[in-house]
Coordinates of all heavy atoms in Angstrom, one line a residue:
D1 N 127.8 146.7 73.1 CA 127.1 148.0 73.0 C 127.3 148.9 74.2 O 126.7 150.0 74.3 CB 125.6 147.8 72.8 CG 125.3 147.3 71.4 OD1 126.0 147.7 70.4 OD2 124.3 146.5 71.2
F2 N 128.1 148.4 75.2 CA 128.2 149.2 76.5 C 128.8 150.6 76.3 O 128.2 151.5 76.8 CB 129.1 148.4 77.5 CG 129.4 149.2 78.7 CD1 128.4 149.5 79.6 CD2 130.7 149.7 78.9 CE1 128.7 150.2 80.8 CE2 130.9 150.5 80.1 CZ 129.9 150.7 81.0
P3 N 129.8 150.8 75.5 CA 130.3 152.2 75.4 C 129.2 153.1 74.8 O 129.1 154.3 75.3 CB 131.5 152.1 74.4 CG 132.0 150.7 74.6 CD 130.7 149.9 74.8
A4 N 128.5 152.6 73.8 CA 127.4 153.5 73.2 C 126.3 153.8 74.2 O 125.8 154.9 74.3 CB 126.9 152.8 72.0
I5 N 125.8 152.7 75.0 CA 124.7 153.0 75.9 C 125.2 153.8 77.1 O 124.4 154.6 77.6 CB 124.1 151.6 76.3 CG1 122.7 151.9 76.9 CG2 124.9 150.9 77.3 CD1 121.7 152.4 76.0
N6 N 126.4 153.6 77.5 CA 126.9 154.4 78.6 C 127.0 155.9 78.2 O 126.6 156.7 79.0 CB 128.3 153.9 79.0 CG 128.7 154.3 80.4 OD1 127.9 154.3 81.3 ND2 130.0 154.7 80.6
S7 N 127.4 156.2 77.0 CA 127.5 157.5 76.5 C 126.0 158.1 76.4 O 125.8 159.3 76.8 CB 128.1 157.6 75.2 OG 128.1 158.9 74.6
F8 N 125.1 157.3 76.0 CA 123.7 157.7 75.9 C 123.2 158.1 77.2 O 122.5 159.1 77.4 CB 122.9 156.6 75.2 CG 121.4 157.0 75.1 CD1 120.9 157.6 74.1 CD2 120.5 156.6 76.2 CE1 119.5 157.9 74.0 CE2 119.2 156.9 76.2 CZ 118.7 157.6 75.1
L9 N 123.4 157.2 78.2 CA 122.9 157.5 79.6 C 123.4 158.7 80.2 O 122.7 159.5 80.8 CB 123.1 156.3 80.4 CG 122.4 155.0 80.0 CD1 123.0 153.8 80.8 CD2 120.9 155.1 80.3
R10 N 124.7 158.9 80.0 CA 125.3 160.1 80.5 C 124.8 161.4 79.9 O 124.7 162.4 80.5 CB 126.9 160.1 80.3 CG 127.5 159.0 81.2 CD 129.0 158.9 80.9 NE 129.7 158.0 81.8 CZ 131.0 157.7 81.7 NH1 131.7 158.1 80.7 NH2 131.5 156.8 82.6
D11 N 124.4 161.3 78.6 CA 123.9 162.5 77.9 C 122.4 162.7 78.2 O 121.9 163.9 78.2 CB 124.0 162.3 76.4 CG 125.5 162.4 76.0 OD1 126.3 162.9 76.7 OD2 125.8 161.9 74.8
H12 N 121.6 161.7 78.6 CA 120.2 161.8 78.6 C 119.6 161.6 80.0 O 118.4 162.1 80.2 CB 119.5 160.8 77.7 CG 119.8 161.1 76.2 ND1 120.9 160.7 75.5 CD2 119.1 161.9 75.3 CE1 120.8 161.1 74.3 NE2 119.8 161.9 74.1
L13 N 120.3 161.0 80.9 CA 119.8 160.9 82.3 C 120.0 162.2 83.1 O 121.1 162.8 83.0 CB 120.4 159.7 83.0 CG 119.8 158.4 83.0 CD1 120.6 157.4 83.8 CD2 118.3 158.4 83.4
P14 N 119.0 162.6 83.8 CA 119.2 163.8 84.7 C 120.3 163.6 85.7 O 120.6 162.4 86.1 CB 117.8 164.0 85.4 CG 116.9 163.3 84.5 CD 117.6 162.1 83.9
A15 N 121.0 164.6 86.0 CA 122.1 164.5 87.0 C 121.6 163.9 88.3 O 120.5 164.2 88.8 CB 122.7 165.9 87.3
G16 N 122.4 163.0 88.9 CA 122.1 162.4 90.1 C 121.3 161.1 90.1 O 121.1 160.4 91.1
V17 N 120.8 160.7 88.9 CA 120.1 159.4 88.7 C 121.1 158.3 88.6 O 121.9 158.3 87.6 CB 119.1 159.5 87.5 CG1 118.5 158.1 87.4 CG2 118.1 160.6 87.7
S18 N 121.1 157.4 89.5 CA 122.0 156.2 89.4 C 121.5 155.2 88.3 O 120.3 155.1 88.1 CB 122.0 155.5 90.7 OG 122.5 156.4 91.8
Y19 N 122.5 154.6 87.7 CA 122.2 153.5 86.8 C 123.2 152.4 86.8 O 124.4 152.6 87.3 CB 122.1 154.1 85.4 CG 123.3 154.6 84.7 CD1 124.2 153.7 84.0 CD2 123.7 155.9 84.8 CE1 125.3 154.2 83.4 CE2 124.8 156.4 84.2 CZ 125.7 155.5 83.5 OH 126.8 156.0 83.0
I20 N 122.8 151.3 86.4 CA 123.7 150.1 86.3 C 123.4 149.4 85.0 O 122.3 149.3 84.6 CB 123.5 149.2 87.5 CG1 124.6 148.1 87.5 CG2 122.1 148.6 87.5 CD1 124.5 147.3 88.8
V21 N 124.5 149.0 84.3 CA 124.3 148.3 83.0 C 124.8 146.9 83.1 O 126.0 146.7 83.4 CB 125.0 149.1 81.9 CG1 124.7 148.5 80.5 CG2 124.6 150.6 81.9
V22 N 124.0 145.9 82.7 CA 124.4 144.5 82.8 C 124.0 143.8 81.5 O 123.2 144.3 80.7 CB 123.7 143.8 84.0 CG1 124.2 144.4 85.3 CG2 122.2 143.8 83.8
R23 N 124.6 142.6 81.3 CA 124.3 141.8 80.1 C 123.0 141.0 80.5 O 123.0 140.2 81.4 CB 125.4 140.9 79.8 CG 125.3 140.2 78.4 CD 124.4 139.1 78.2 NE 124.3 138.5 76.9 CZ 125.1 137.5 76.5 NH1 126.1 137.1 77.2 NH2 124.9 137.1 75.2
G24 N 121.9 141.2 79.8 CA 120.7 140.5 80.0 C 120.0 140.4 78.7 O 119.5 141.4 78.2
K25 N 119.9 139.2 78.1 CA 119.1 139.0 76.9 C 117.7 139.4 77.1 O 117.1 139.1 78.2 CB 119.3 137.6 76.3 CG 120.7 137.4 75.7 CD 120.8 136.1 75.0 CE 122.2 136.0 74.3 NZ 122.2 134.7 73.5
I26 N 117.0 139.9 76.1 CA 115.7 140.4 76.2 C 114.7 139.5 75.5 O 115.1 138.7 74.6 CB 115.7 141.8 75.6 CG1 116.7 142.7 76.4 CG2 114.3 142.5 75.8 CD1 117.2 143.9 75.6
C27 N 113.4 139.5 75.9 CA 112.5 138.5 75.4 C 112.2 138.5 73.9 O 111.8 137.5 73.4 CB 111.2 138.7 76.2 SG 110.3 140.3 76.0
R28 N 112.5 139.6 73.3 CA 112.4 139.6 71.8 C 113.8 139.8 71.2 O 114.5 140.7 71.7 CB 111.5 140.8 71.3 CG 110.0 140.6 71.6 CD 109.2 141.6 70.8 NE 107.9 141.8 71.4 CZ 106.9 142.6 70.8 NH1 107.2 143.2 69.6 NH2 105.8 142.7 71.4
K29 N 114.1 139.0 70.3 CA 115.5 139.1 69.7 C 115.8 140.4 69.1 O 117.0 140.8 69.0 CB 115.7 137.9 68.7 CG 115.6 136.5 69.4 CD 115.7 135.4 68.4 CE 115.5 134.0 69.0 NZ 115.6 132.9 68.0
A30 N 114.8 141.1 68.6 CA 115.0 142.4 67.9 C 115.3 143.5 68.9 O 115.8 144.6 68.5 CB 113.8 142.8 67.1
W31 N 115.1 143.3 70.2 CA 115.4 144.3 71.2 C 116.8 144.2 71.6 O 117.3 143.2 72.0 CB 114.5 144.2 72.4 CG 113.1 144.9 72.2 CD1 112.8 146.0 71.5 CD2 111.9 144.4 72.8 NE1 111.5 146.3 71.5 CE2 110.9 145.4 72.3 CE3 111.5 143.4 73.6 CZ2 109.6 145.3 72.7 CZ3 110.2 143.3 74.0 CH2 109.2 144.2 73.5
L32 N 117.5 145.4 71.6 CA 118.9 145.4 71.9 C 119.1 145.9 73.4 O 120.1 145.7 74.0 CB 119.7 146.4 71.0 CG 119.5 146.1 69.5 CD1 120.3 147.2 68.7 CD2 120.1 144.7 69.2

């Protein structure tokens, strides 16, 4: 899902806000 979330972050995060995307499973299986 990295390409999709990376595109989302670029479109929705204000300019200048840093972000990092890593693989980390989440406590509920339904959460992506």
Side-chain angles (χ1 to χ4, degrees):
D1 287 328
F2 174 70
I5 196 66
N6 199 41
S7 176
F8 176 89
L9 294 167
R10 288 176 176 174
D11 290 342
H12 292 87
L13 267 181
V17 176
S18 299
Y19 67 88
I20 187 171
V21 185
V22 298
R23 197 281 179 88
K25 288 191 175 182
I26 306 161
C27 60
R28 293 195 199 182
K29 296 176 184 179
W31 276 328
L32 305 176

